[in-house]
Amino acid sequence: MKRLTQLLLAGFCGLTTATYAQQTRPVWLDEITIKSFSEGIPAVLGKTNAAGDSMLINGRYFKHGVGVNATSILAFFLDGKATEFSALVGVDDKGNRNLPHTFYVIGDRNILFDSGEMRLGDAPKPVKVNLTGVKRLGLLVKVNDEGRTKVYSNWANAQLVMLDNHLPKNIPNDGERYILTPPAPKTPRINSPTVFGARPGNPFLYTIAATGDRPMTFAANRLPKGLVLDPKTGRITGSVAERGTYAVTLSAKNALGTATKTLKIRIGDTISLTPPIGWNGWNSWARLIDQEKVIASADALVKMGLRDHGWTYINIDDAWQGKRGGPLNAIQPNEKFPRFKEMVDYIHSLGLKTGIYSTPMITSYAGYVGGSSDFEDGHITDEIIANKRSYRYVGKYQFEAADARQFAEWGIDYLKYDWRIEVPSAERMAVALKQSGRDIHYSISNSAPFANVKDWVRLTNSYRTGPDIRDSWNSLFVSAFTLDKWAPHGGPGHWNDPDMMIVGNVTTGTQLHPTRLTPDEQYSHVSLFSLLAAPLLIGCPLEQLDPFTLNLLTNDEVIAIDQDPLGKSARLVMEQDGFQVWKKPLEDGSWAVGLFNVGDFGKTPQSYFRWGDETARSFTLDLVKIGLNGAFTFRDVWRQQDLGKFYGTFKTEIPHHGVVMVRMFPVK
């Protein structure tokens, strides 16, 4: 009997173990939405190299794997639900021959695999690492590409062995979305720029942006001849024939009080005396943009109160273009924009401005008609439409003059001119816009070579200083924290442009999703863009703004630093022990200073990833070391609080990838 009982118990235990044992299954990385795991800048592709061609390493083809370009960062949340990662790694045969690549596999801060330097022609190296218990996995390819192209490498045959039916997830972005900025007062406060430029005789539109309880009435004393103010809306319109600088006193009045501000109107050759701020549709809707979405965005900018804080532009990006036609043989809108001029007029009626997109190439980035053609009449063929990528070059015939005149007739206020602009194309459009009879902010995109910066300053109103931005700390760091060399060149009329803002819900290569920047990183993002005097173009659907993101975008003291009429960009004045200090002079003699905890980003393989155990660090600012002598009154601009007087040093806590941003007023 005892023996029978033992056999029965053994059988039961065996059944229990078999029933509850976790099964494993391999998961190819190219069969999940791999783009959503990328925190690098160039796109990653499954089953091909980064150019979309067959994956090939040292003459060997692979049907499975992930092709990447330049420095690549793939981050996965496994939560202990994986047992193994395996791959064959190497430089793609169509990649750059001269650059060494290093592949890393990192689990919970531990380097599990280091390939050493690999070059084109090296045999692929096998990777096989144990992931038991690993919560966060990082796949890093490190290469110093210095802006060179075709920097292709491959994670060939890359697969995870997962437990049961689990799949890898994105790294959690669950930090507290803390709100720092207090609500605007109910009394009037004027927030629009204090300087505005227009060319003689051209249409003029300036809206007095003011917060405070409504109803509110507006006034403007000493307006130059030719301008009129609507006292109910605060819109100043008309045109001014005489060159000169006109000092105008603006006022906004409600039942609780009156606010005043001096506006300098400069009529001359230079427009865009402060960086443009507004909204761009690409990172919201990409190719799905249409007339209804644009109007909804304009309405939301007003409804959300952004207009009252100075946000002005509603910019349509790529995918609005139809074929050439009309009296000017200019680009006409496609079927998604059936009443284009009415749409522009409606946006203007809200006191806002309208932007548009084009390119000097035959086809745009999204494959729509561009500003040139190999046919004299500019028509586009079915072959071009079917093979649009093959026509990303400037055609034999250019149509800048016709397109610029059409933009002016529609009432366009901003042009984004796209796709690796070279100087001759930039100059042709610059001349055409100046001869159009309308002030149109001229922005070129993307990656304007630094070697031609003097031409960009001469020809354009803003110029992209790097690649397209993505919603990751790596992309933000590359786009903004490396711009010190550009700083001396930006200023009134010609602004350094690090690309759109990556807050709220964004697309950036994948379906609409909340930005992957942590709340601390988002405060750093808005702070640094403002310190750099960069264009501020919101890249998310405005009607989807949550309270945290809206609060980020409506701090008038931060916006005022970006819009300061002196127009100087901050400079990187200190970098030590994982901290950066950026200092910006302001017109009134004060200084805006950003203290950033960048965490030695990029200096170790582990620093490219977020591990979930990061903490705030203490930092002591030595004022003398950054060239500031004497006593200063400090103001925390995010909290809009005075911090007191400081002499010599200032000590504070800064979150990981976060910021403390202060305005410093000399004590006399």
Side-chain angles (χ1 to χ4, degrees):
M1 186 68 181
K2 182 177 180 181
R3 176 62 178 162
L4 178 60
T5 302
Q6 289 174 336
L7 289 171
L8 289 171
L9 286 172
F12 178 77
C13 291
L15 177 63
T16 303
T17 302
T19 301
Y20 290 96
Q22 289 182 298
Q23 302 297 311
T24 61
R25 65 187 180 99
V27 175
W28 295 110
L29 290 196
D30 54 55
E31 291 182 349
I32 61 176
T33 54
I34 192 63
K35 286 184 179 181
S36 70
F37 295 92
S38 172
E39 298 193 359
I41 299 172
V44 300
L45 297 177
K47 294 185 170 66
T48 70
N49 71 8
D53 297 324
S54 298
M55 191 175 293
L56 186 64
I57 305 176
N58 196 28
R60 180 178 172 185
Y61 285 94
F62 296 89
K63 293 182 179 180
H64 281 288
V66 175
V68 301
N69 189 4
T71 293
S72 170
I73 305 162
L74 296 171
F76 305 88
F77 184 63
L78 302 178
D79 199 24
K81 302 299 193 300
T83 63
E84 184 179 278
F85 171 77
S86 60
L88 287 163
V89 300
V91 179
D92 191 89
D93 285 5
K94 294 183 180 178
N96 192 295
R97 179 171 298 277
N98 302 314
L99 294 177
H101 297 60
T102 305
F103 296 77
Y104 297 94
V105 179
I106 310 167
D108 294 340
R109 288 194 184 274
N110 299 307
I111 297 178
L112 307 178
F113 172 81
D114 178 346
S115 70
E117 290 189 352
M118 300 186 68
R119 296 177 183 270
L120 190 150
D122 290 348
K125 289 187 178 181
V127 183
K128 190 173 184 178
V129 297
N130 187 336
L131 297 180
T132 301
V134 169
K135 292 185 176 295
R136 301 188 183 209
L137 174 69
L139 303 182
L140 172 68
V141 180
K142 188 72 175 71
V143 54
N144 184 17
D145 62 284
E146 297 179 345
R148 281 176 276 192
T149 58
K150 299 182 179 180
V151 189
Y152 305 146
S153 55
N154 301 318
W155 296 92
N157 287 348
Q159 67 173 214
L160 289 163
V161 178
M162 303 297 298
L163 293 172
D164 298 326
N165 292 318
H166 293 287
L167 288 172
K169 299 178 181 179
N170 295 112
I171 298 296
N173 189 3
D174 51 6
E176 180 190 356
R177 305 180 86 186
Y178 56 98
I179 289 177
L180 296 181
T181 304
K186 295 182 178 181
T187 53
R189 184 169 64 191
I190 297 176
N191 303 309
S192 42
T194 58
V195 62
F196 185 81
R199 296 189 180 104
N202 284 359
F204 187 104
L205 173 60
Y206 175 96
T207 300
I208 303 174
T211 50
D213 282 356
R214 263 48 179 184
M216 185 178 291
T217 57
F218 300 90
N221 294 328
R222 299 188 300 277
L223 276 177
K225 183 180 178 181
L227 298 184
V228 295
L229 168 73
D230 183 331
K232 293 181 179 180
T233 64
R235 290 196 293 274
I236 301 174
T237 56
S239 65
V240 182
E242 295 294 326
R243 293 173 177 266
T245 299
Y246 303 86
V248 179
T249 301
L250 307 177
S251 66
K253 181 179 180 181
N254 67 10
L256 300 175
T258 302
T260 61
K261 178 180 277 190
T262 299
L263 167 66
K264 290 183 179 179
I265 296 175
R266 293 178 178 166
I267 305 300
D269 296 323
T270 304
I271 62 172
S272 301
L273 298 181
T274 59
I277 73 172
W279 174 86
N280 179 284
W282 184 256
N283 283 352
S284 299
W285 306 115
R287 294 167 176 83
L288 300 178
I289 194 72
D290 59 35
Q291 183 168 298
E292 288 71 24
K293 291 183 176 69
V294 172
I295 291 174
S297 300
D299 288 337
L301 190 138
V302 175
K303 181 180 179 181
M304 293 290 185
L306 290 163
R307 181 185 62 182
D308 300 333
H309 295 273
W311 298 90
T312 300
Y313 287 92
I314 296 292
N315 291 348
I316 309 162
D317 210 283
D318 205 349
W320 68 271
Q321 310 95 308
K323 296 183 178 180
R324 289 199 169 274
L328 298 171
N329 193 31
I331 302 173
Q332 299 300 302
N334 58 36
E335 66 280 357
K336 296 188 296 179
F337 293 85
R339 297 177 301 280
F340 200 90
K341 181 66 166 67
E342 291 179 30
M343 176 190 69
V344 175
D345 290 344
Y346 176 74
I347 294 171
H348 286 160
S349 75
L350 299 176
L352 306 175
K353 297 185 177 183
T354 310
I356 207 168
Y357 169 104
S358 192
T359 173
M361 299 196 179
I362 293 175
T363 60
S364 68
Y365 176 81
Y368 292 80
V369 66
S372 66
S373 176
D374 285 335
F375 301 99
E376 189 172 3
D377 64 357
H379 76 271
I380 192 166
T381 65
D382 291 340
E383 180 190 358
I384 293 173
I385 295 172
N387 301 285
K388 52 195 174 187
R389 287 181 177 269
S390 299
Y391 292 88
R392 287 180 179 172
Y393 62 88
V394 178
K396 180 179 179 181
Y397 302 97
Q398 294 95 42
F399 300 91
E400 291 91 354
D403 289 343
R405 286 178 59 195
Q406 181 68 83
F407 299 158
E409 287 188 8
W410 284 332
I412 295 299
D413 306 290
Y414 185 113
L415 171 64
K416 176 181 176 180
Y417 212 44
D418 191 29
W419 205 238
R420 301 193 182 279
I421 306 298
E422 22 73 46
V423 173
S425 291
E427 186 146 23
R428 288 194 304 272
M429 182 52 82
V431 172
L433 291 174
K434 288 180 180 178
Q435 294 176 350
S436 72
R438 188 172 183 87
D439 293 344
I440 299 177
H441 179 98
Y442 182 28
S443 170
I444 61 168
S445 171
N446 61 28
S447 298
F450 181 73
N452 300 117
V453 66
K454 292 182 179 179
D455 289 308
W456 313 139
V457 168
R458 174 176 62 90
L459 296 171
T460 75
N461 301 119
S462 57
Y463 40 89
R464 278 278 300 282
T465 51
D468 289 346
I469 200 168
R470 298 288 184 265
D471 57 314
S472 70
W473 178 256
N474 171 70
S475 183
L476 175 63
F477 194 89
V478 171
S479 295
F481 284 91
T482 58
L483 288 192
D484 188 59
K485 71 177 183 179
W486 291 83
H489 303 283
H494 46 89
W495 304 102
N496 300 322
D497 179 9
D499 202 9
M500 291 170 279
M501 305 180 75
I502 41 175
V503 298
N505 295 329
V506 295
T507 54
T508 61
T510 61
Q511 64 183 3
L512 202 64
H513 61 275
T515 179
R516 291 176 296 173
L517 293 184
T518 67
D520 294 321
E521 290 169 348
Q522 292 180 65
Y523 276 108
S524 290
H525 172 23
V526 179
S527 298
L528 188 55
F529 271 43
S530 296
L531 287 164
L532 293 172
L536 303 179
L537 295 176
I538 304 166
C540 63
L542 297 175
E543 60 272 26
Q544 297 179 17
L545 286 177
D546 61 281
F548 170 79
T549 309
L550 185 61
N551 190 259
L552 272 178
L553 299 172
T554 52
N555 183 309
D556 297 307
E557 295 189 24
V558 174
I559 295 172
I561 289 171
D562 177 80
Q563 297 287 294
D564 186 74
L566 187 62
K568 293 285 188 179
S569 173
R571 301 302 306 270
L572 178 60
V573 293
M574 179 182 292
E575 186 170 17
Q576 65 179 39
D577 193 28
F579 294 96
Q580 287 190 3
V581 179
W582 291 75
K583 183 179 75 169
K584 172 184 173 71
L586 302 175
E587 186 189 43
D588 66 356
S590 66
W591 299 86
V593 177
L595 315 175
F596 297 90
N597 176 0
V598 299
D600 282 331
F601 180 77
K603 295 184 178 179
T604 67
Q606 293 92 331
S607 68
Y608 285 90
F609 300 91
R610 192 167 74 246
W611 301 108
D613 57 0
E614 295 85 359
T615 58
R617 296 175 58 207
S618 177
F619 177 69
T620 300
L621 174 66
D622 187 321
L623 301 183
V624 175
K625 285 186 177 179
I626 66 169
L628 297 177
N629 297 299
F632 293 85
T633 299
F634 276 51
R635 182 169 176 82
D636 183 324
V637 293
W638 278 111
R639 293 176 174 83
Q640 298 183 355
Q641 293 178 352
D642 291 330
L643 302 179
K645 295 180 182 178
F646 294 85
Y647 181 92
T649 61
F650 171 72
K651 186 175 182 179
T652 187
E653 289 278 318
I654 310 176
H656 179 73
H657 288 180
V659 63
V660 170
M661 188 175 178
V662 295
R663 188 161 179 172
M664 302 168 53
F665 299 87
V667 176
K668 297 181 180 180

